[in-house]
Amino acid sequence: MVEHERTGPVDLLTWSMSRVAMWATAFIVVIIFYEVVMRYLFAAPTLWVNEMSLWVAGGIYLTAGLYSMQQRSHIRIFILYDMAPKWLQRVFDILSVICVCIFAFAVIWGGFGEAYSKFMRWETFGTAFDPPIPATIKPLILITLVLLALQAISNLIYDWNREPEIHSPTDDIDLIPDEIITGTPPKPTE
Amino acid sequence: MDIGTISIILLLGMLLLLAIGMPLGFASGFLAVVVLVLKFGPDLLFSNFGTGPLNILAQRLYGITTNYVLVSVPLFIFMATLLERSGIARDMYSSLNSWLSRTRGGIAVVTALMAIVMAAMSGIIGGEVVLLGLIALPQMLRLGYNRNLAIGTICASGSLGTMIPPSIVLIFYGLITETSIHALFKAAFLPGFMLAGCYLIYILVRTRMNPELAPLPEPSDDDMNGREKALYGSTLLAIVLGPASALVILRWFYLHALDRIEDVTKLVGMNALYTAIVILVASAVYIFLVTGIETARLAWEKGKGMVAPLLIVFVVLGSIYGGVTGITEAAGMGSIAVLLLIIMRGEFSFNLLREASMRTFKSTGTIIWVTFGATALAGAYTIAGGPTYVANLIVGYELPTMGVLLVMMVIFLFLGAFMDWTGIVLLVMPVFLPIVLKLPIEELGLYGELTPSQVSVWFGILFCVNMQVSFLSPPFGPAAFYLKSVAPPYITLPDIFRGFLPFICIQIFILMVILLFPPITTVFLE
């Protein structure tokens, strides 16, 4: 996968978070496999796998949104944007960033009290395994929104003088390596 | 402010923000704030820090974050990215090819069949079209296939990923409308295969009416004649059925020995045991005494490319339909199955896993945050009374029921030409579905009755077919761009869209059939 380059100090934080969090999907796959094997082969279903995957997935969604923001890959419609001259694109970008910030501000304004009290009470999920999902995910949502707003501002600053590019739906598609298509075995990598 | 004005401001604001290229999810989130401000006024909203009506936003985000079915989305993406990076698809293609290349239009049929199997493995499109474009397009062009037929086949059948279960479109529809995703998957089964079947029939009929569209390849020594195909085919069947029944027998004894039989446990009666033993013995006799080991080995060589993908389909769809596991676990098991196959094929590397994880992470972020924004907006609009207002408005005009539905279909088709399906399902559905649910139920469709709980399932399937059209419809049908990125340079975008025309007609035909005959979607529902 070709990654968008790193452009500023905020990106450093985003990248280091995502380098860890990107493995979480594989982790969920592994624990679900463990659960299914335990349940059907050994008749010993676990209590913790369902809620653990829920908890971990919550972390994935939030950090992944941050990473997508850094990669400039959030779903947008480029029809008019690509046609506009650079100065107008800058106006559009500024408007977008302001809207993102207002959204983040409003969510935090409304949700801070609840998130804070749940974190202080260390509220748990109320089940047998009882992970502290409300106590962690609720504050994490607000923290992610702060970081998202910062990332949006950082993108605006670093993209200010970037050459306009034409977007296409294929931006989201990886090039598949030749050896997969032609059937020649991949070269061993050191 | 009254809800009518708020609705108009919302609509205009959305158009404006989308036009300036603002990310869909954040545009929705911002508009959710706007709706709340218009409804409650800034004084009430911002009087106390940390609380107030604005809390609905954080609550909606938290609600979607802790939804167990949503966990299946990154897992399905993970599985699809792994599949794309393995040679499983390529081997299936060459395997199918050796069986069908001497048939008129055979490569197109192979392409469509391969797309159908891949659609039953994973629930997203994109990679599939690219993969088919890389594998099948060069061969069809080399053989002198009609270009429109080749292009249309690749893109139309490559888009089936979101129609044939498991389908990510249906997962999101189910999440946002609180419809059972299990029911949606069951309902989509018949329409999905009807659509795929129509593609196959179209290819076969057209190439027979006009053989020049699909020239046959030069005969080669590897070609099988009819008798060999029957022999190898039956041997292959025995090779698959034998071990499968052996597994059933093993499981029978295992479960009985541990005494773990419950009422819902299937295939544990005496009949199942006897049938399995008979099949096992018959397969063994056929392989060892009738055809011989050597033939069995050859048949395996010719057919093994198809066995692996079908195994994955069995794991994923079997877990969902058989009621063994939920959708999330099915996606997890599918990923494990693909991973194991990749390891067995010797293709596994740390780099492959890392690339797939990273791609999954990025795609998850894009798709989930549209959901976040839209759910915040839906929450804000609902407490402002929006959906009820719109539903009453439409129903109040006493328009003919089928007329309202037709208009909705046209709106979906129109939006689909410009917008991603995620945006449509998340933003339009919360308004449209309440309207449909308020329409007189006996007037839905021309033939057949729906029960109230089936209406939202039926409408979800209609939406799903609509989105099939949107992948192909100009000017922004994503399938065209996916194919363009891997097609030879002399194939232009207008060329590609021209190839889509007959397939779009088929899709609209199926859409009309489902619209007029709703029971097609309820055949497999209780």
Side-chain angles (χ1 to χ4, degrees), chain B residues 161-246:
Chain B
T162 56
M163 182 72 219
I164 292 176
S167 146
I168 203 164
V169 173
L170 289 178
I171 293 179
F172 275 93
Y173 176 86
L175 277 177
I176 211 79
T177 62
E178 289 172 1
T179 310
S180 151
I181 296 169
H182 241 98
L184 285 167
F185 279 7
K186 280 187 176 160
F189 199 79
L190 192 58
F193 282 97
M194 270 167 63
L195 193 57
C198 284
Y199 294 160
L200 286 173
I201 293 169
Y202 169 76
I203 295 167
L204 289 173
V205 169
R206 263 207 80 189
T207 50
R208 263 155 197 70
M209 279 164 58
N210 186 357
E212 282 168 23
L213 293 176
L216 289 175
E218 293 293 314
S220 78
D221 296 339
D222 294 341
D223 290 337
M224 293 180 277
N225 58 33
R227 204 187 58 80
E228 281 175 327
K229 275 184 194 169
L231 177 66
Y232 288 145
S234 55
T235 316
L236 203 57
L237 198 65
I239 294 178
V240 175
L241 281 181
S245 44

Side-chain angles (χ1 to χ4, degrees), chain A residues 1 18 39-41 43 50 61 65 68 73 75-76 99 103 109-110 113-114 134 148 170 172 174 180-181 183, chain B residues 21-22 24 29 45-46 48 50 55 68 70-71 85-86 90 254 260 324 329 355 359 361-362 365-366 369 481:
Chain A
M1 192 180 103
S18 32
R39 188 180 337 144
Y40 289 105
L41 277 185
N50 267 16
Y61 307 148
S68 303
S73 72
I75 298 172
R76 308 161 58 178
C99 292
F103 173 55
W109 187 281
E114 199 186 340
L148 264 171
T170 44
D172 293 336
D174 284 340
I180 297 299
I181 303 307
Chain B
M22 185 164 174
L24 199 51
L45 285 185
F46 294 102
N48 287 314
N55 194 18
Y68 187 59
L70 196 65
V71 182
R85 283 165 174 73
S86 79
R90 186 198 64 237
Y254 177 77
R260 280 194 45 219
V324 180
E329 285 178 342
E355 286 266 306
R359 158 62 57 190
F361 192 61
K362 185 169 150 183
T366 19
W369 275 79
F481 290 88

Side-chain angles (χ1 to χ4, degrees), chain B residues 124-347:
Chain B
I124 61 178
I125 79 154
E128 230 171 289
V129 176
V130 171
L131 212 54
L132 291 170
L134 283 168
I135 297 176
L137 187 62
Q139 201 189 352
M140 287 200 265
L141 293 176
R142 199 169 52 236
L143 284 174
Y145 266 57
N146 175 280
R147 203 194 285 169
N148 287 344
L149 181 72
I151 291 169
T153 306
I154 289 176
C155 291
S157 46
S159 305
L160 283 170
T162 56
M163 182 72 219
I164 292 176
S167 146
I168 203 164
V169 173
L170 289 178
I171 293 179
F172 275 93
Y173 176 86
L175 277 177
I176 211 79
T177 62
E178 289 172 1
T179 310
S180 151
I181 296 169
H182 241 98
L184 285 167
F185 279 7
K186 280 187 176 160
F189 199 79
L190 192 58
F193 282 97
M194 270 167 63
L195 193 57
C198 284
Y199 294 160
L200 286 173
I201 293 169
Y202 169 76
I203 295 167
L204 289 173
V205 169
R206 263 207 80 189
T207 50
R208 263 155 197 70
M209 279 164 58
N210 186 357
E212 282 168 23
L213 293 176
L216 289 175
E218 293 293 314
S220 78
D221 296 339
D222 294 341
D223 290 337
M224 293 180 277
N225 58 33
R227 204 187 58 80
E228 281 175 327
K229 275 184 194 169
L231 177 66
Y232 288 145
S234 55
T235 316
L236 203 57
L237 198 65
I239 294 178
V240 175
L241 281 181
S245 44
L247 270 182
V248 172
I249 298 169
L250 271 181
R251 175 172 171 273
W252 195 94
F253 282 110
Y254 177 77
L255 290 182
H256 277 271
L258 289 186
D259 199 21
R260 280 194 45 219
I261 314 288
E262 286 159 30
D263 291 343
V264 289
T265 322
K266 290 181 185 113
L267 290 178
V268 285
M270 288 318 273
N271 279 342
L273 180 66
Y274 293 143
T275 321
I277 291 178
V278 169
I279 294 176
L280 178 62
V281 172
S283 317
V285 167
Y286 189 72
I287 293 171
F288 290 104
L289 301 178
V290 182
T291 63
I293 298 288
E294 190 54 25
T295 319
R297 207 183 54 77
L298 278 174
W300 178 247
E301 277 304 311
K302 299 254 181 221
K304 67 175 180 193
M306 287 182 279
V307 174
L310 289 177
L311 204 68
I312 301 173
V313 171
F314 179 77
V315 169
V316 176
L317 288 191
S319 332
I320 295 173
Y321 288 120
V324 180
T325 58
I327 285 152
T328 308
E329 285 178 342
M333 292 309 284
S335 309
I336 283 284
V338 175
L339 260 178
L340 288 179
L341 278 173
I342 288 178
I343 293 172
M344 279 159 60
R345 298 168 56 90
E347 290 171 341

